[in-house]
Amino acid sequence: MGCGPAPESSADKETAVKSDKAASASQRPVIYQMMTRLFGNKQSHNQAWGSVAQNGVGKFADINDKALAQIKALGANYVWYTGVPHHALVADYQAFGISLDDPDVIKGRAGSPYAVKDYYNVNPDLAEDPAKRLAEFDALIARTHAAGLKVMIDIVPNHVARKYESISKPAGVRDFGADDDTTQAYAKNNNFYYIPGQAFAVPDGVQPLGGEAHPLIDGRFDENPAKWTGNGARSAKPGADDWYETVKINFGVRPDGSYDFPALPADYADQSCQAHLAFWQDKDLPDSWHKFRDIALYWTARGVDGFRYDMAQMVPVEFWSYLNCSIKEVNPDALLLSEIYIPEQYRDYIHLGKMDYLYDKVGTYDALRAIVEGKAGTEVLPELFNGMADIHSHMLMFLENHDEQRIASPEFAGDPRKALPAMVVSSLVTGGANLLYFGQEVGEAGAGDAGFGKASRTTIFDYWGVPAHQRWMNNGAFDGGLLSKEERALRDFYRDLLNLAANEPALQGEFADLHLANQTTPGYNNQLYSFARFTEEHAMLVVANFSALDSQSVELSIPRGVIAAMGLTNGEYALTNSLGTGEVSSLHVQQGEGRVHLALAPLASVAFKLR
């Protein structure tokens, strides 16, 4: 959609102004993701397969007022506490009424955050007093809110731990599978899928606890009949690469893929959540739908402000319509984020499923990573951003999260500075949301095999200390006292960038690509990427130099169509860089076309605010 005169030249046609106004707000979401068990851990021993006693574990209480204030100062307005729901783990908490979990179906010693055992309580590892673990998390929610931050946690509708067993569920709530007819491979109101007549068998090639002896490790797990595995594997003996620690939830999708619930009419893409709830009100819906609605509303009532949905693409869009609108009815401001990697389904999940934001992995992340690694140039970006112009404000932008390799790892960039231009583009190009993974801002490299977790990704399965993050944490002072000069400078850059991303009004407005219009500009090349962001009252020009070797000097052209859309007339306009030292320049507009002289050092970026 354009906002201004039609382009007048071929260059102008290549810089059409695009916008999706659906999610504009005074402050855009900047989400700080932490692996909660690792964030406050002060121990740095880091023994592979280490126990809590050997490697330590962070607690809710470690995330104190000082820590939260520093997260807020970094530019975040949400904290995604990863690994909070009680998941299967090896530690013995029988003294607190919690049954033992079998290491044969646990990944790592600390366990996968995505094999939830009890949706109505929190991970006992995270509490100073496991008997009061829920109260300790409530206190963290209160501290987080007092710091001016909102709280997100994971919900994992696609699968649960093989031994799901809630000891904390409210009166009247039934466990997943408690009322299933296990003689049937599929039944609408079964919570699981079954393989009648066959018992579950532990996969070959699995070595729990790295081969350490344990009373429960015997290569067996009692499950008869066997259930489908979380990734959809239908064998009673899944493979070692399957999600064998989990079982798949049945949402009324028959084994042949057909739906055992009404289809949501296509025109509901344009209708409100009230209309969606009215549609579902008199429908006979699968039991699993109601169970997950109750779970989400339980945490909403406790003060959780939003949810990150694991592998949402494996659950029908119709369920998301029902769940998300049920949440929005109680908290219209809830932030609902979907992990999804199928671009062809993005619009359905946004418009029919009522997601606020989707992962922009198979798109911006993949493209920027390729540029950083020298496998592509910036010529790939204009078509990418143009193709998602109508939904750009619904995309979550990131360069790290718990699933991805650390930027500073040799497997990615090997140097955290090499991704700074990519982070500038990722953070400022869209009006959507931004994500920062803890430790990214100080160049954590994710080195060391933790046990089940391997180098390049900070482990989510093991007890571990995160070295660069621990230097910032400084034994609980949260003041960066042990950081190197380079690490401090990196964190300062992230702070400036993320505060700009959260608060700059121009970034809530239109987007105009400037890259294509400058392909014939002397000095401009495919190591540079440039664009404009603007509203009626605010404007910003962003240029990033992806080259780690070459400085760039260029007279950047701003086409007539963009100048007109920004409401500028002939003259000179002062520019101030909102990143770094605040250097100044000027925009010269003559005969309706703009020019800005730029001199960029290797890996440098500017975000020029027009004044």
Side-chain angles (χ1 to χ4, degrees), residues 265-577:
D267 62 359
Y268 272 73
D270 300 319
Q271 298 200 35
S272 68
C273 258
Q274 289 86 350
H276 281 239
L277 289 179
F279 176 84
W280 296 119
Q281 187 173 12
D282 60 353
K283 304 299 189 294
D284 179 21
L285 301 176
D287 181 71
S288 296
W289 291 36
H290 302 304
K291 278 186 165 63
F292 273 104
R293 176 202 59 194
D294 294 346
I295 288 164
L297 295 183
Y298 169 84
W299 289 108
T300 299
R302 297 198 85 93
V304 171
D305 303 291
F307 302 102
R308 179 266 189 187
Y309 298 129
D310 185 77
M311 290 307 293
Q313 69 189 44
M314 298 181 76
V315 179
V317 166
E318 282 83 356
F319 165 75
W320 295 117
S321 159
Y322 173 77
L323 179 68
N324 289 341
C325 289
S326 296
I327 295 168
K328 292 286 190 180
E329 184 180 39
V330 175
N331 179 11
D333 297 323
L335 189 150
L336 307 175
L337 168 63
S338 169
E339 179 190 22
I340 181 171
Y341 304 112
I342 307 175
E344 295 78 15
Q345 296 182 10
Y346 284 177
R347 286 159 184 82
D348 282 348
Y349 275 74
I350 293 167
H351 301 305
L352 288 172
K354 299 301 181 184
M355 294 291 181
D356 293 318
Y357 300 100
L358 312 181
Y359 270 37
D360 193 1
K361 161 69 168 72
V362 186
T364 302
Y365 171 89
D366 285 348
L368 290 174
R369 176 165 180 164
I371 296 168
V372 171
E373 293 180 307
K375 298 175 180 177
T378 54
E379 71 275 5
V380 302
L381 296 178
E383 182 179 0
L384 170 68
F385 296 145
N386 184 63
M388 64 174 68
D390 61 316
I391 57 170
H392 222 180
S393 68
H394 290 282
M395 305 309 289
L396 174 81
M397 313 295 274
F398 60 87
L399 290 184
E400 284 190 2
N401 62 43
H402 67 277
D403 286 319
E404 307 302 339
Q405 292 174 314
R406 290 287 193 174
I407 294 165
S409 71
E411 293 80 0
F412 188 165
D415 180 344
R417 296 171 299 176
K418 289 184 178 179
L420 292 182
M423 194 66 194
V424 169
V425 174
S426 175
S427 299
L428 306 184
V429 76
T430 172
N434 296 114
L435 174 72
L436 180 76
Y437 190 38
F438 86 114
Q440 177 183 346
E441 72 277 20
V442 289
E444 170 58 36
D449 288 354
F452 194 90
K454 303 306 179 185
S456 80
R457 292 175 176 86
T458 295
T459 179
I460 66 170
F461 305 104
D462 309 279
Y463 302 111
W464 200 249
V466 183
H469 170 73
Q470 288 179 324
R471 290 193 288 276
W472 169 73
M473 185 170 57
N474 190 18
N475 201 38
F478 297 102
D479 61 3
L482 300 179
L483 293 176
S484 69
K485 180 181 177 181
E486 292 75 17
E487 289 167 338
R488 285 179 179 272
L490 187 68
R491 193 174 192 279
D492 288 346
F493 182 89
Y494 272 93
R495 180 198 61 214
D496 293 346
L497 176 62
L498 294 176
N499 276 282
L500 181 67
N503 299 304
E504 171 53 50
L507 301 176
Q508 292 298 318
E510 310 287 358
F511 164 82
D513 173 82
L514 303 178
H515 185 79
L516 291 176
N518 282 278
Q519 288 297 287
T520 59
T521 299
Y524 196 90
N525 57 59
N526 286 328
Q527 288 294 298
L528 294 169
Y529 184 65
S530 54
F531 58 93
R533 300 297 309 277
F534 53 92
T535 66
E536 290 183 359
E537 298 178 348
H538 304 274
M540 178 165 282
L541 303 175
V542 180
V543 188
N545 178 15
F546 283 80
S547 175
L549 301 175
D550 298 325
S551 297
Q552 310 279 3
S553 180
V554 63
E555 195 84 7
L556 189 74
S557 172
I558 317 298
R560 291 184 181 89
V562 178
I563 291 293
M566 290 194 292
L568 303 181
T569 57
N570 291 340
E572 186 170 328
Y573 299 85
L575 301 173
T576 304
N577 186 16

Side-chain angles (χ1 to χ4, degrees), residues 49 89 136 138 179 181 221 248 285 313 417 510 572 591 600:
W49 295 102
L89 44 78
E136 290 188 29
D138 287 341
D179 303 309
D181 178 358
F221 178 73
K248 186 168 177 62
L285 301 176
Q313 69 189 44
R417 296 171 299 176
E510 310 287 358
E572 186 170 328
Q591 296 182 339
L600 291 175

